[in-house]
Amino acid sequence: MTQSAVLPGNAELYLHVRVLIGIILGLSVTRLVSGIASIVQHPKRYRIWSVHLGWVAWALVNVVTFWWWEFRLNLITHWTFGLYFFVCAYASMYFFLSALLFPQDLEEYKGYQDYFLSRRRWFFGFAALTEALDVIDTWIKGEAHLQSFGPEYLISVGIFILLCGVASITRNVKFHVLFVFAALVYEISFFTRNFSTLN
C-alpha cells in the first residue's frame, strides 16, 4: 500500500468523516420522522399496519444508536479511502431502509400492509445486509471491541439474518408480528446493556 493511500488518524480527519455520516443519518431520521408525522396528519389517507410501524420504530432506534456508537471510530488510528467508503456505505443502508419504509407515495397499494408485504424482499434484504455490515463495522473498531460482546453478538446477528430470509419469503402475518416485536425488544435491550455509555 502506498503512503498516499493511507491517511493519518487525527481529530480533523475523524471530524470530517463524522460530518458526512451525520448528514446521511440525519436524512434517515428526517425520512422516518416525516413519515410518522404524515400518518399523524392524515391517518385515513392510507391504512396503517402495526408491523410496518414496528419496523419504523426498529429503524429509528438503529439509526439513533448507530450515530451514538460510531463515536468509537475515534479508536481507528489510520484511515484509508476503502475504510471511509465502507463507513459511508454502511450509513447509507439506513437511508435505504428509511426510504423503503416510507416511499414517495402509496397510490398503487391498498395501505401500508399491502405495500410492505409487496416489498418485503427488498426491505429484509437490506436489513440483513445492514446487520452483516455491522459485524465488519464492529471489527474495524478493534478485535477487543468485537470480543467484548461475547458470543451473543455474532449468534444474534446470524439469527436475525436467518429470520430476515424467512420474512422475505413469507406473508404470514403472525410471523411478521412476532419477528418485529422480538427484533425491536432485542435491539433496545442490546443497546441498553452495551452502549448506554461510551466508557
Side-chain angles (χ1 to χ4, degrees), residues 28-47:
S28 303
V29 171
T30 300
R31 189 68 173 256
L32 293 169
V33 174
S34 296
I36 295 169
S38 178
I39 291 175
V40 173
Q41 292 166 352
H42 307 285
K44 296 182 180 179
R45 178 174 292 175
Y46 301 113
R47 190 178 305 166

Side-chain angles (χ1 to χ4, degrees), residues 24-155:
I24 297 170
L25 296 179
L27 290 172
S28 303
V29 171
T30 300
R31 189 68 173 256
L32 293 169
V33 174
S34 296
I36 295 169
S38 178
I39 291 175
V40 173
Q41 292 166 352
H42 307 285
K44 296 182 180 179
R45 178 174 292 175
Y46 301 113
R47 190 178 305 166
I48 62 174
W49 190 37
S50 59
V51 171
H52 170 261
L53 291 178
W55 285 113
V56 169
W58 175 87
L60 192 56
V61 168
N62 268 272
V63 171
V64 172
T65 55
F66 173 82
W67 207 336
W68 171 256
W69 66 58
E70 282 306 283
F71 181 79
R72 290 187 179 272
L73 287 174
N74 66 353
L75 299 175
I76 298 174
T77 56
H78 288 86
W79 283 87
T80 65
F81 180 80
L83 180 55
Y84 162 76
F85 180 81
F86 167 79
V87 172
C88 291
Y90 177 31
S92 297
M93 292 299 102
Y94 288 107
F95 181 77
F96 280 116
L97 288 171
S98 302
L100 284 169
L101 286 167
F102 287 111
Q104 296 290 344
D105 65 71
L106 292 173
E107 296 299 329
E108 309 171 47
Y109 306 96
K110 299 175 183 178
Y112 281 104
Q113 179 174 351
D114 183 39
Y115 165 75
F116 186 83
L117 289 177
S118 71
R119 290 291 174 266
R120 65 189 185 279
R121 289 181 177 85
W122 283 97
F123 178 80
F124 290 111
F126 273 110
L129 176 59
T130 302
E131 287 296 304
L133 292 177
D134 186 70
V135 175
I136 300 174
D137 181 73
T138 302
W139 174 74
I140 65 175
K141 294 183 179 79
E143 190 71 27
H145 180 62
L146 175 61
Q147 292 179 355
S148 68
F149 300 124
E152 175 196 347
Y153 172 64
L154 292 178
I155 292 172

